[in-house]
Amino acid sequence: MASSPLFPDNHPSTADDDDGGRDRHPRDRSIRSYLQSLLPHSIFPIDDLHRPHPHNSKISLFILVAIILAVVIAISSIVNRFNAPYLCKKDGITLICPYVKESPSLWENPYSATTSWKPCAARREGVISDLPSENETNGYIFIHAEGGLNQQRIAICNAVAVAKIMNATLILPVLKQDQIWKDQTKFEDIFDVDHFIDYLKDDVQIVRDIPEWFTDKSELFTSIRRTVKNIPKYAPAQFYIDNVLPRVKEKKIMSLKPFVDRLGYDNVPPEINMLRCRVNYHALKFLPKIEQMADSLVSRMRNRTGGLNPFMALHLRFEKGMVGLSFCDFVGTRMEKALMALYRQKEWPRRYKDGSHLWALALQKRKEGRCPLEPGEVAVMLRAMGYPKETPIYVASGQVYGGQNRMAPLRNMFPNLVTKEELATKLELDGFRKHVTSLAALDFLVCLKSDVFVMTHGGNFAKLIIGFRRYMGHRLKSIKPDKGLMSKSLGDPYMGWATFVEDVVFTHQTRTGLPEETFPNYDIWENPLTPCMCRP
């Protein structure tokens, strides 16, 4: 008999070999039985197991080794999965996450990806304007810019565009007091009026006040005969020409109300969108005292660690009103959840109803990534991206729901975290407290000039900042978190840190303010690429 790795060749071959072999080599018999039970007969027939055959014996040994290796690998994988750290360890109110190596593009977008576009919405110098005089236009339009500072900013840009569409004279918009902001700031308390009017003098006629010949000014604020109220949201330019312009020509002065999001994006001429960008990025400048204070805050942020260092600006949307309006579920005590339920029932009774549907709604919204990120979730995400503990972070935020306890995980992981109230003295900020929008303007400018901007939820502030930074040059990094990924990862009890880091880094490579093609119904405030930027 030929030698075999499973059968030794140092014993005599006799007629009793088959019987005696069973007793003398029990290990060989156990291997045969094991292979016989595991392998299909077509691969390893039973007869072949009883007949030592050199070729088949080698195959059987190879298959056996392969099976053993597969079992070892499978067991190792299962053990590692169950022993994988759940992202970060929690020690009281402190989150402890593993170290992540800093990437070369941590503080700016790759240069090669940011050189294909340049801003081109500035006014053209030396061009003779054919703009008619104030008395030769089709009439005057007047708007109330409602909401907070950033919603007001968008309304002002739209008002200039609508005046251009109808060849009308624009009366300087009034910043209407908002029920939430409770602020009575005037246009001239925030913006440089002279620069605004002068920069747009070749595009639209703008006057500071209602003309003197119109004596009953209160009528413009209260009379329905002087108000156009049926303007749909995101109306096309043609709507104003067909429905609003005739009334402006007839009455000579008309108020447009309400005026929140009353002009579309892809249903207006390209030059009108270009004009909106000109207003937003060039004509609307904050007062010099606001600009100077913001520059001072930026300088202090860069020098916090004793040298000129990059810093991050974080727009943290986790105020009580935002948490309530989101109708999402967040970590908290039973008392906190009960109080939040009462708050939602009072503020949004139609959406709250009897509350029985809210749990399913909250789960669905979180799964879809439509819930604001909590401070602790932001901390874990930033650490996964590679930002070290020493990172200077400027926080632009209202009163965070849950106070210091809610902020503790973020502050403990990134202790070099400050607000404008901590950067500036009380005396310095007292001059801005008279107008709430002045304080919002400081946050706006510091976020605009930061090395990295991070948003945590949607809103006009975030999209205006991201759009402005894109217009200034796509090199500036503006991170828009994938909240759907965060929800999925943070909800997976077997998610290991290394896998989480890989997912976060890979997913956010394209969510940092890089050039993006526009699409139907795109938002030019967040992505001004096509209408307001040109190829070099």
Side-chain angles (χ1 to χ4, degrees), residues 14-27:
T14 67
D16 297 330
D17 269 355
D18 288 344
D19 295 334
R22 293 191 187 96
D23 297 328
R24 288 196 299 271
H25 303 289
R27 183 181 178 188

Side-chain angles (χ1 to χ4, degrees), residues 346-410:
K346 177 184 176 182
E347 296 294 327
W348 302 280
R350 290 185 179 180
R351 289 186 62 188
Y352 188 86
K353 299 178 183 178
D354 61 357
S356 61
H357 68 295
L358 295 182
W359 177 245
L361 174 65
L363 289 176
Q364 183 66 23
K365 294 189 72 172
R366 184 164 292 280
K367 180 179 179 181
E368 295 172 353
R370 295 192 288 137
C371 294
L373 291 178
E374 295 190 47
E377 294 172 331
V378 175
V380 175
M381 179 189 72
L382 295 179
R383 179 54 52 84
M385 290 179 177
Y387 291 98
K389 181 178 182 180
E390 300 77 20
T391 301
I393 301 179
Y394 178 91
V395 178
S397 172
Q399 183 65 42
V400 173
Y401 175 66
Q404 293 304 315
N405 286 340
R406 184 75 66 172
M407 284 292 293
L410 176 60

Side-chain angles (χ1 to χ4, degrees), residues 226-242:
R226 292 281 179 182
T227 305
V228 181
K229 302 190 71 173
N230 62 340
I231 304 174
K233 271 198 164 189
Y234 306 111
Q238 196 62 42
F239 178 89
Y240 286 91
I241 295 173
D242 295 340

Side-chain angles (χ1 to χ4, degrees), residues 320 324 327 334-349 352-355 358 401:
K320 182 178 180 180
F327 277 82
R334 289 185 178 182
M335 179 61 71
E336 284 178 320
K337 292 178 181 291
L339 291 175
M340 177 53 68
L342 292 174
Y343 174 68
R344 287 170 171 165
Q345 186 177 24
K346 177 184 176 182
E347 296 294 327
W348 302 280
Y352 188 86
K353 299 178 183 178
D354 61 357
L358 295 182
Y401 175 66

Side-chain angles (χ1 to χ4, degrees), residues 416-464:
N416 201 3
L417 180 148
V418 292
T419 63
K420 58 180 173 293
E421 288 78 13
E422 295 168 303
L423 274 180
T425 66
K426 181 179 181 300
L427 183 61
E428 285 177 315
L429 293 182
D430 281 345
F432 300 93
R433 296 188 191 280
K434 182 179 179 182
H435 304 294
V436 176
T437 46
S438 295
L439 296 174
L442 291 176
D443 282 340
F444 185 94
L445 288 171
V446 175
C447 289
L448 185 63
K449 298 176 181 182
S450 64
D451 297 279
V452 170
F453 171 70
V454 181
M455 61 173 285
T456 60
H457 199 51
N460 291 322
F461 183 99
K463 70 182 181 182
L464 281 170

